[in-house]
Amino acid sequence: MTDQNTFMEVVRNVAEIVRTAEVPMSESEILAYFSDMDLDENQKRIVLAYIETAQSEETEEGQQEDTTGADEEEQEGRSKVFQMYLDELSLLPSFTAKDREKLYERLSSGDETVVETISTAWLKKVLTLAEKYMQPRLHLEDLVQEGNMALFLCLQDMLGKPYNEQIEEVLSAAVEEGIMNYCSEIVGESELENTLVGKISLVHEAKKMLSLEKGQAPTIEELSEYTKMSIDELSELEEYLKQ
């Protein structure tokens, strides 16, 4: 399959085509846009689910514009579709660290069936990561959707590859990169660099690079030197992320 950024760009473009089409498009018509990408059945399901979610949210937003007396949550921009998603998260089974480790080992062995299970185990984590990047002009459901897609693509890329003891750090970085790319498109690169989101992204990238170089998590002093941010500012960011 093509690279992740190109793939996500195509997915978003197709979602927009489907949204603005005068007549509903069939699954085969939607998937025809991906004919050159050699998607497997699992990838096709993810693409269709992504586009279906985008359509549902668009329909819900339109209904809310025409309806008075919407409840407080909907007035704040949270769709009924996303509220249902949040309700479903509370019903998910808990995955212990040992459970996840076994899943990652199966992923490393090339067991493609485990991709969906790992994605499910990470749904709450993706929501937590997405919440860190909320700001005006962004919707949490969109950030979660982008994060889930980025997670899926990363898992597909890691399928059958040697086991990585830092796999959860790699997956977190992939999710946040996917969310950040979306934020950049919506908010604008120049504006984003001057926001808290840009600082958080810089720190996470610095942690990732320094961890790879040194083989262990960097100290706050090393982060300060790498990012050119003061220790006090880094400490404030760490406190913010804990909220």
Side-chain angles (χ1 to χ4, degrees), residues 7 43 46-47 50 77 85 131 144 162 189 207:
F7 176 70
Q43 291 166 339
I46 293 294
V47 167
Y50 180 103
Y85 173 84
E131 287 175 335
V144 169
E189 196 68 42
K207 285 183 177 180

Side-chain angles (χ1 to χ4, degrees), residues 40 102-115 118 155-163:
D40 59 33
K102 291 180 179 179
L103 292 174
Y104 301 146
E105 289 174 350
R106 288 172 58 189
L107 182 75
S108 179
S109 69
D111 183 357
E112 188 174 3
T113 63
V114 81
V115 171
I118 296 176
L155 290 172
Q156 286 285 324
D157 184 60
M158 300 179 74
L159 184 64
K161 293 185 178 178
Y163 182 78

Side-chain angles (χ1 to χ4, degrees), residues 49-156:
Y50 180 103
I51 293 176
E52 180 182 357
T53 300
Q55 285 181 287
S56 299
E57 290 172 357
E58 183 69 24
T59 300
E60 181 64 32
E61 287 177 3
Q63 291 174 345
Q64 288 180 19
E65 289 176 0
D66 297 333
T67 304
T68 57
D71 61 39
E72 184 176 347
E73 275 190 332
E74 291 173 333
Q75 291 175 1
E76 291 174 353
R78 176 176 293 175
S79 70
K80 290 181 180 177
V81 172
F82 188 60
Q83 185 58 51
M84 291 173 60
Y85 173 84
L86 295 179
D87 292 341
E88 290 174 359
L89 285 189
S90 64
L91 302 176
L92 291 178
S94 298
F95 291 84
T96 65
K98 186 170 293 185
D99 291 334
R100 295 195 303 273
E101 184 177 353
K102 291 180 179 179
L103 292 174
Y104 301 146
E105 289 174 350
R106 288 172 58 189
L107 182 75
S108 179
S109 69
D111 183 357
E112 188 174 3
T113 63
V114 81
V115 171
E116 185 172 350
T117 306
I118 296 176
S119 297
T120 299
W122 267 71
L123 289 177
K124 293 180 182 178
K125 176 68 172 179
V126 171
L127 174 61
T128 300
L129 293 173
E131 287 175 335
K132 297 191 308 185
Y133 292 88
M134 272 303 298
Q135 59 176 299
R137 294 170 59 187
L138 297 175
H139 296 285
L140 182 58
E141 51 260 55
D142 294 331
L143 301 185
V144 169
Q145 189 171 326
E146 295 294 327
N148 284 333
M149 178 63 83
L151 173 68
F152 167 78
L153 293 174
C154 186
L155 290 172
Q156 286 285 324

Side-chain angles (χ1 to χ4, degrees), residues 164 166 170 206-216:
N164 185 343
Q166 295 182 319
V170 173
K207 285 183 177 180
K208 182 169 65 174
M209 294 300 297
L210 290 172
S211 294
L212 290 174
E213 290 178 5
K214 300 177 178 297
Q216 61 184 15

Side-chain angles (χ1 to χ4, degrees), residues 6-35:
T6 301
F7 176 70
M8 283 305 304
E9 182 179 356
V10 174
V11 171
R12 295 190 192 108
N13 289 340
V14 174
E16 181 64 17
I17 292 172
V18 173
R19 186 185 69 81
T20 58
E22 294 184 1
V23 295
M25 295 177 62
S26 67
E27 291 186 356
S28 59
E29 289 175 324
I30 294 172
L31 293 175
Y33 286 97
F34 302 88
S35 58

Side-chain angles (χ1 to χ4, degrees), residues 183-242:
C183 291
S184 298
E185 293 180 11
I186 301 301
V187 178
E189 196 68 42
S190 60
E191 181 179 344
L192 187 64
E193 290 175 354
N194 296 319
T195 66
L196 181 62
V197 176
K199 293 180 180 180
I200 292 173
S201 175
L202 175 61
V203 172
H204 278 286
E205 286 298 315
K207 285 183 177 180
K208 182 169 65 174
M209 294 300 297
L210 290 172
S211 294
L212 290 174
E213 290 178 5
K214 300 177 178 297
Q216 61 184 15
T219 64
I220 193 169
E221 289 80 8
E222 291 171 333
L223 280 175
S224 177
E225 181 178 358
Y226 189 92
T227 62
K228 307 306 179 185
M229 296 169 64
S230 69
I231 292 178
D232 288 342
E233 188 173 10
L234 288 170
S235 298
E236 290 176 0
L237 283 176
E238 289 292 338
E239 287 299 318
Y240 173 83
L241 295 179
K242 293 177 182 178

